[in-house]
Amino acid sequence: MINRVNDEINRLIGLLEEKQASDGAWYFCFENGIIADAYLIILLRSLEMDDEALIQTLVRRIKEKQTSSGTWKIYHDQEEGDLSATVEAYYSLLYSGYVNPEEPKMIAAKQFIIEKGGLSQVSLFTKVMLAFTGQYHWPENLRLPIELILLPPPIPFNIFDFVGYARVHFVPIMIGANKKFSLKTLRSPNLSELYLTEKSNESTFKLMAWQEKMIENALNQLSDLKNPRELAFQKAEEFLLNRIENDGTLYSYFTATFVMIFALLALGYSKDSKTITKAVNGLKSYACKTDRYTTIQNSPPTIWDTALISYALQEAGVPPSDPMIVKANQYLLAKQRTKYGDWRLHNPRAIPGGWGFSPSNTINPDIDDTTVALRAIQTNAFYDPSYLYAWQKGAIWTLSMQNQDGGWPAFEKNTNKKYTSLLPIKGVESVTIDPSHADLTGRTLEFLGNYAGLNAYHPSVQKGIRWLFFNQERNGSWYGRWGINYIYGTWAAITGLKAVGIPSNHPRIQKAIQWLLSIQKEDGGWGESCISDAKKQYVPLQASTPSQTAWAVDALIAVYNRPTPTIQRGIQCLIDLGKEKDWRTTYPTGAGFPGNFYILYHSYRYIWPLLALSHYRSKFL
């Protein structure tokens, strides 16, 4: 086993060395189905920006992803197909002008859409896109009064009760919905055949009585304002402009920038205005080329990947003095964020010190990227004052972001007000609030224990442990928000608890280990379906994946003092998967929006196996 483990570790190190860019970063793709590809085609056609070469290459990829039955899926084992993805792909291909609607697979796609209930049954964000482009009436459940943006933070239902990534989507959508704005062109397809439900028959937006009263009372406090509606649109415009990054995008998110562009058009901006042109160019810059196609990323994961890879390589024995690590950590040091962002509203005493996900992201750092970057640069901090200062700032910021309940959020502290998640919008609880989750809490504890020298006697660590204990599932697992899902959360919780001194024989850890053992597959690996994310219960995948196998094995390695047969089989499965290139190695194991948005990180098949194998070697060999 030792030779096989060493050979695979060396293979992965060599592969990562080849893929490092000259600036020290790793530019792996963040693949999010076909949504961004389709939306960019629709956006370019709507703005009458004829970038034909880009449109044609996106068309090729979208067509390649179509199933033999004419549908599009968002993950391999999705039954039949995904209605929203199929509508988005079908619409974009028609709008491109490069696909004949009478092609057999296009006819099949159209029939699938009709059979599933048509446009009225797609996801809310798909309806927003259709409404902005004149293919659908504005949904009633988005007609919240624009005046809400004038409410200051202390008043309930103010926009800052929503987490940042929700705000930057909601504000432009509220502008479009309140303006009832839509934009069609002479090339717009006619999707009327796909609209099967009369407007009057669609379920009407109804807030609960107490929500209506809350909004009414809040808006009454604006009664002294002159022209509050006009002022609200101005405030909404300022909100967007103040959060545009240097590359022209809003918060470095494709989807937020897409709706922002249409919102600015609704406010009177011309299609060729500087702000819109720069935003479009920013979205184009999110193109990622692979061996076979070009795809548009929702958020380039360069900082995340670079920090994870630097950390993983060092765990594998690559010394900090190696040029790979030197260049990577210099890149990371330059990307520490020093600006105050919206996170400050709920954490006013903290100073900036975090890292973001994408290179252009300067105002929206997050806990996960920060703790991974701190792991990567820790050794530098021992002998270089600039790294020490950065490390201290990052660690202090991380501790300051702990929620009142003891867990850690992803982006903003204490943005977990329940009433914001009770809007009558399907899946709203997953996007409006940023509560504590097991993956963030576990990984933060792992950092604090293994890299900051804290243990279970530290007050913040104690609170984090209590949160994890209280939120463990009955079967022993934990739900992870940003990975698929229970394997991810359970790995994060176990490794975090172990790092801060919880013994392996603790009942909570033993229960979690028994759950992991119970779901190991015959090939020695682990695999979990994206269906788990929507159902909020573990659903096995019919095969093992590299990242999920690595997470499970890494959790077991943290607990056991010697290599058990289960661990040995898992390690062998990881080595075997490293030789494969099929749907198992391209299955999305990153989570975005439950039921709608899943992420294939092209880096994951290298990073997580390298970490698990390295931990196996350092502990057992």
Side-chain angles (χ1 to χ4, degrees):
M1 180 66 79
I2 185 171
N3 290 333
R4 282 175 286 174
V5 169
N6 284 332
D7 287 347
E8 183 64 5
I9 288 174
N10 291 333
R11 184 186 75 85
L12 291 170
I13 292 173
L15 184 148
L16 291 170
E17 184 174 21
E18 290 176 4
K19 291 182 178 293
Q20 188 178 27
S22 59
D23 64 358
W26 279 271
Y27 292 89
F28 282 101
C29 282
F30 171 113
E31 196 171 334
N32 40 271
I34 54 88
I35 180 173
D37 301 345
Y39 280 44
L40 186 56
I41 292 172
I42 293 165
L43 176 65
L44 292 174
R45 286 292 185 240
S46 297
L47 297 176
E48 299 178 292
M49 295 180 176
D50 298 330
D51 190 336
E52 299 310 303
L54 177 58
I55 289 173
Q56 287 176 20
T57 192
L58 295 177
V59 165
R60 284 194 295 272
R61 179 175 182 269
I62 293 171
K63 291 191 69 175
E64 181 184 283
K65 294 293 181 181
Q66 191 175 19
T67 69
S68 58
S69 62
T71 66
W72 280 263
K73 295 183 177 184
I74 54 177
Y75 49 88
H76 176 80
D77 57 325
Q78 187 175 28
E79 189 176 354
E80 297 184 299
D82 186 82
L83 176 60
S84 296
T86 301
V87 167
E88 291 160 352
Y90 180 79
Y91 179 23
S92 67
L93 292 179
L94 288 181
Y95 213 164
S96 76
Y98 292 109
V99 179
N100 185 344
E102 299 305 316
E103 289 183 13
K105 289 176 75 172
M106 289 291 282
I107 294 173
K110 178 180 176 181
Q111 187 59 35
F112 173 80
I113 295 168
I114 292 171
E115 289 174 355
K116 294 300 178 182
L119 302 186
S120 65
Q121 301 304 309
V122 299
S123 71
L124 185 63
F125 197 76
T126 307
K127 288 180 181 177
V128 167
M129 178 272 291
L130 293 169
F132 267 131
T133 57
Q135 301 289 351
Y136 197 80
H137 62 90
W138 274 98
E140 293 289 342
N141 54 352
L142 287 175
R143 292 184 187 171
L144 293 172
I146 191 67
E147 289 84 354
L148 288 175
I149 200 168
L150 298 176
L151 300 177
I155 299 176
F157 248 106
N158 76 86
I159 196 68
F160 292 100
D161 281 344
F162 298 84
V163 68
Y165 58 81
R167 285 196 297 273
V168 294
H169 288 85
F170 279 2
V171 170
I173 290 171
M174 286 173 65
I175 292 171
N178 278 265
K179 291 280 190 180
K180 297 183 180 179
F181 176 82
S182 66
L183 176 65
K184 295 185 80 169
T185 71
L186 294 177
R187 301 177 72 167
S188 294
N190 181 1
L191 302 184
S192 59
E193 289 181 282
L194 305 181
Y195 187 63
L196 307 179
T197 307
E198 294 296 328
K199 295 180 185 181
S200 59
N201 292 335
E202 190 170 7
S203 56
T204 305
F205 173 59
K206 286 190 180 297
L207 288 166
M208 295 180 183
W210 66 267
Q211 289 174 313
E212 289 184 333
K213 190 66 176 177
M214 184 182 290
I215 292 176
E216 181 184 348
N217 290 339
L219 293 178
N220 283 340
Q221 299 187 49
L222 304 175
S223 58
D224 293 336
L225 293 177
K226 184 179 180 181
N227 299 323
R229 190 165 181 81
E230 181 180 343
L231 183 62
F233 281 117
Q234 293 175 3
K235 185 74 176 289
E237 180 183 2
E238 291 172 8
F239 175 93
L240 298 179
L241 297 179
N242 289 339
R243 287 159 182 80
I244 293 176
E245 292 286 8
N246 290 333
D247 65 353
T249 65
L250 180 61
Y251 248 44
S252 300
Y253 294 151
F254 179 97
T255 49
T257 307
F258 178 90
V259 290
M260 177 193 74
I261 290 170
F262 283 96
L264 293 177
L265 292 171
L267 292 172
Y269 283 64
S270 65
K271 292 180 181 180
D272 58 356
S273 69
K274 182 179 179 180
T275 303
I276 289 178
T277 300
K278 189 174 182 181
V280 172
N281 289 334
L283 296 183
K284 288 181 181 180
S285 74
Y286 288 1
C288 186
K289 294 182 179 180
T290 69
D291 294 338
R292 297 178 58 195
Y293 48 74
T294 295
T295 186
I296 306 298
Q297 304 170 102
N298 190 61
S299 307
T302 310
I303 295 176
W304 174 243
D305 280 340
T306 301
L308 276 173
I309 293 169
S310 174
Y311 156 60
L313 288 170
Q314 291 177 75
E315 291 292 282
V318 178
S321 58
D322 187 282
M324 262 198 302
I325 307 301
V326 171
K327 289 194 299 180
N329 288 357
Q330 287 173 346
Y331 176 88
L332 291 173
L333 184 64
K335 296 301 180 183
Q336 188 175 30
R337 298 318 181 194
T338 58
K339 290 183 181 179
Y340 286 97
D342 288 345
W343 57 266
R344 188 185 188 186
L345 287 168
H346 303 285
N347 192 12
R349 296 181 181 179
I351 61 172
W355 276 262
F357 185 74
S358 300
S360 60
N361 176 350
T362 64
I363 56 176
N364 188 36
D366 65 272
I367 303 300
D368 236 355
D369 279 284
T370 298
T371 61
V372 173
L374 292 173
R375 289 179 182 90
I377 69 169
Q378 189 198 38
T379 303
N380 301 81
F382 289 141
Y383 58 84
D384 188 322
S386 61
Y387 280 98
L388 176 61
Y389 180 61
W391 193 95
Q392 290 174 332
K393 283 203 306 178
I396 292 169
W397 184 81
T398 298
L399 279 170
S400 78
M401 292 294 288
Q402 187 174 25
N403 282 333
Q404 288 178 350
D405 63 10
W408 270 268
F411 295 97
E412 294 184 12
K413 181 177 181 177
N414 296 329
T415 49
N416 54 2
K417 293 181 172 62
K418 296 298 183 184
Y419 67 77
T420 63
S421 64
L422 294 175
L423 294 172
I425 299 171
K426 185 179 179 181
V428 71
E429 70 282 353
S430 298
V431 295
T432 58
I433 59 177
D434 189 16
S436 302
H437 279 300
D439 47 336
L440 274 302
T441 303
R443 287 175 58 74
T444 303
L445 289 180
E446 192 276 338
F447 162 74
L448 294 174
N450 287 337
Y451 294 85
L454 303 186
N455 58 31
Y457 295 102
H458 188 279
S460 294
V461 172
Q462 286 180 358
K463 290 172 63 180
I465 292 170
R466 285 197 296 268
W467 187 91
L468 282 175
F469 283 175
F470 184 77
N471 287 277
Q472 188 175 22
E473 302 286 331
R474 287 186 177 183
N475 64 7
S477 67
W478 279 271
Y479 170 78
R481 168 66 177 86
W482 299 99
I484 307 296
N485 270 111
Y486 291 92
I487 295 174
Y488 185 65
T490 303
W491 157 73
I494 289 174
T495 54
L497 291 170
K498 283 292 299 175
V500 295
I502 302 301
S504 296
N505 62 0
H506 191 285
R508 297 285 186 171
I509 289 183
Q510 282 300 305
K511 191 173 184 180
I513 289 296
Q514 292 307 311
W515 179 78
L516 281 176
L517 296 178
S518 74
I519 63 169
Q520 187 177 26
K521 298 188 176 299
E522 290 185 5
D523 65 357
W526 281 260
E528 182 177 356
S529 173
C530 293
I531 299 171
S532 291
D533 202 29
K535 286 193 171 184
K536 293 298 184 289
Q537 65 182 50
Y538 171 73
V539 177
L541 189 65
Q542 60 264 45
S544 300
T545 69
S547 54
Q548 291 167 334
T549 299
W551 294 330
V553 170
D554 199 42
L556 297 176
I557 292 169
V559 171
Y560 289 103
N561 291 324
R562 63 180 187 276
T564 65
T566 297
I567 292 174
Q568 299 284 59
R569 292 175 58 220
I571 290 293
Q572 185 58 56
C573 181
L574 272 184
I575 294 171
D576 292 341
L577 284 170
K579 304 180 180 73
E580 302 297 332
K581 191 174 183 180
D582 54 30
W583 73 267
R584 296 172 298 172
T585 58
T586 59
Y587 190 82
T589 56
F593 180 43
N596 290 284
F597 193 99
Y598 297 103
I599 305 157
L600 167 61
Y601 289 95
H602 284 212
S603 62
Y604 272 21
R605 67 170 304 183
Y606 312 117
I607 292 170
W608 302 115
L610 179 59
L611 272 170
L613 292 166
S614 300
H615 291 161
Y616 175 87
R617 182 172 69 178
S618 62
K619 188 169 185 178
F620 299 137
L621 300 181

